[in-house]
Amino acid sequence: MNYFLDNPDLVETFDKIVDWDKLVPVTQGAKADVKDTVATWREMLAVAGEYIGTEIAGRAKQVDELGVIRDGGRIETSEPMKENLRGLAELGFVGLSLPESFEGSGLPQTVNSLGVEMIARACAATMVEFGIGYTEPAAMIIRFGTDEQKRRWVPPVVRGERKGAVAMTEPQAGSDVGNIATTATKDGDGWRLTGRKQFISAGNGEFVIVLARAAEGSKGLDGLALFIVPRDGDNYIVERAEHKFPIRGSTTCSLVFEGSRAELLGEVGAGWREILTFMNESRIAIGLQGLGVGEAAYAKAMRYASERKQNGRPIREHPMIAEMLMDMETTIAGLRAIATEASTLQDLSTRGKDERAARDLRELTPLVKWYGSEEIVRVCRNTLQIYGGYGVVTEYDVERHMRDALILPIYEGTSQIQSLMAVRDLMRTILRSPGALVRGGPTRLLAKAGIGGDYAVARSTFVGALRAMVAALARKGGLDLVRGKRQPTEDEMAPFLLHAERITETLAHLHVARALGAQAARVPSRKPLAERAARRAKLVAIRNAAAMGAGDGGVFAKIAEWQQERARS
Ligand SMILES: Cc1cc2nc3c(=O)[nH]c(=O)nc-3n(C[C@H](O)[C@H](O)[C@H](O)COP(=O)(O)OP(=O)(O)OC[C@H]3O[C@@H](n4cnc5c(N)ncnc54)[C@H](O)[C@@H]3O)c2cc1C
């Protein structure tokens, strides 16, 4: 199969949706010929689509079955995974969007994202090993390294000769990054690291970029810094690789640092700001991974449902199954719409220095991650259901997509953490400008006209629910709060934190409906998709508004009870 040319929605996104007239000059310079440039990129994606759809997809089952090789204490990826990584490096995929001065191709993130989606569709484990092991470490060194570090580290990574990793998580510091305890101390011209990192993807390579506490006595997110730590034999120990059920072919390692030699990457004290650039990029990448996994599952579900007959007709002609398939199609096209929009915003904000694009990207990032995780779990679950008994049989591959999908809501910031980010951002917007809740709002992007009446109902239902919550906040915290003169306390924010995932789910569906609506305005054949997304957004908004208006269900009383219990023990 060719994962580019055989995917009509992907091709239409490339041919008719992306605004190349805007993007090419920003990323390739004003003199670039838009038509020629875009034709070359299309050709490149078609060649890559053939390789990914045949070679990488062809090895995916083996990659999954072999998992990680643990041989005499050494932790290795399997041969088919190595073959995949070599192939992608040879195709130039590692450096696709990295600068040409470092052996990259300098292509827009928007083109890169279409490729990443195809890799994830073929093999989700390969996508992680490739993205976290090569592209991301190279991008971080280019962003924060000295000229000498860039020259020394980046080219071998881009050529696929040296694998890295990015290590933040520790046994006691997962979602709460400010709790990290790995310390870095100055030692002559260099640094020494001591601590332990947990769940590090691609952690069995030749180096790792580590977030550590570099200012003695610092707390929380202050005093952190990034370091490049070479493996150099046993400079750090790759203690073990987890046995896990999703993305089985990707190594998920525990790393131990005992006075390990390290070089500073960037500035002491700026570690949190620096790692955030990685986290924001990788959150979009997980949305793309979800898109690939969802596409793989949906394509199989559609084929199976058109062939499998029950009660004298293909099962897709039974209304409940038909509804599931249509819902999957809308979800995938919707995710592709917001992920592509986010990728374009990445290009406009980083290469075009467009501040409004940076603000819009900030709004979309947690939603792409949330929607690309939670909604794709649902797509895979429905695929399994459509396959009936065969769904749980390993031969049919759909159980692999289900297993792989279940990692999406967990890593690179769980769905709850994405929800907290989205809600805090939304609250900042509302408290800065409460009028947004009267004039259509709630954000600049969502205030744009959507398609049809359902989008308007979805948005007004959501705004109504928010208005009620903000009014309650004003009653409790006083007008100074809603006039933006002070920030709400954690206690005042409690109802928003309780309903954060409901708010995020509604926001995500509204953005999907908005984005597909905007596409339908350019490509009228996409109108049915946009209308379905708007209808779904309306149903989600109504359900969540009902839950948000129905009180706390005793949650806060229970938390108080548990707190008392903890105080007594
Ligand atoms: C396969 C895999 C690969 C990974 N790769 C990497 C990697 O390459 N580099 C790296 O640094 N890390 C990596 N991670 C770590 C991953 O990012 C963390 O597992 C994730 O951030 C969650 O942290 P935790 O597991 O400690 O869970 P916890 O933070 O303990 O969370 C447990 C539960 O509590 C919820 N929760 C936590 N805080 C709150 C809150 N304030 N409000 C509401 N709910 C909350 C969470 O949503 C979750 O449901 C990987 C993990 C896995 C499983």
Side-chain angles (χ1 to χ4, degrees), residues 51-52 54-60 62-63 66-67 69 76-94 119 123 125-127 129-130 134 159-160 163 249:
Y51 176 78
I52 293 166
T54 50
E55 298 285 324
I56 296 192
R59 287 189 280 267
Q62 245 190 321
V63 164
L66 292 172
I69 311 298
E76 294 278 352
T77 50
S78 65
E79 271 313 313
M81 169 67 90
K82 285 190 182 131
E83 188 67 33
N84 287 350
L85 298 173
R86 267 195 298 273
L88 288 170
E90 276 164 22
L91 266 180
F93 252 83
V94 176
I119 301 170
C123 177
T126 299
M127 183 252 166
E129 201 70 11
F130 156 78
Y134 298 90
R159 280 184 234 126
K163 184 168 88 169

Side-chain angles (χ1 to χ4, degrees), residues 128 132 165-177 197-203 209 211 242 244 246-247 250-253 275 278 283 407 409-418 420 424 490 497 501:
V128 175
I132 301 285
V166 182
M168 240 175 338
T169 307
E170 298 182 2
Q172 298 308 316
S175 303
D176 186 4
V177 181
K197 293 286 175 181
Q198 177 88 354
F199 296 141
I200 306 309
S201 299
I209 295 177
L211 183 69
E242 305 296 345
K244 61 189 190 303
I247 50 169
S250 165
T251 49
T252 308
C253 301
I275 199 98
F278 157 76
R283 283 166 182 168
I407 190 58
I410 291 175
Y411 63 6
E412 296 306 341
T414 65
S415 291
Q416 289 69 44
I417 296 304
Q418 302 312 307
L420 293 180
R424 290 209 158 99
E490 207 63 11
L497 302 186
E501 200 159 357

Side-chain angles (χ1 to χ4, degrees), residues 501-521:
E501 200 159 357
R502 295 190 176 101
I503 294 173
T504 302
E505 183 187 18
T506 316
L507 274 172
H509 280 271
L510 277 168
H511 274 289
V512 163
R514 171 195 59 75
L516 284 176
Q519 293 186 354

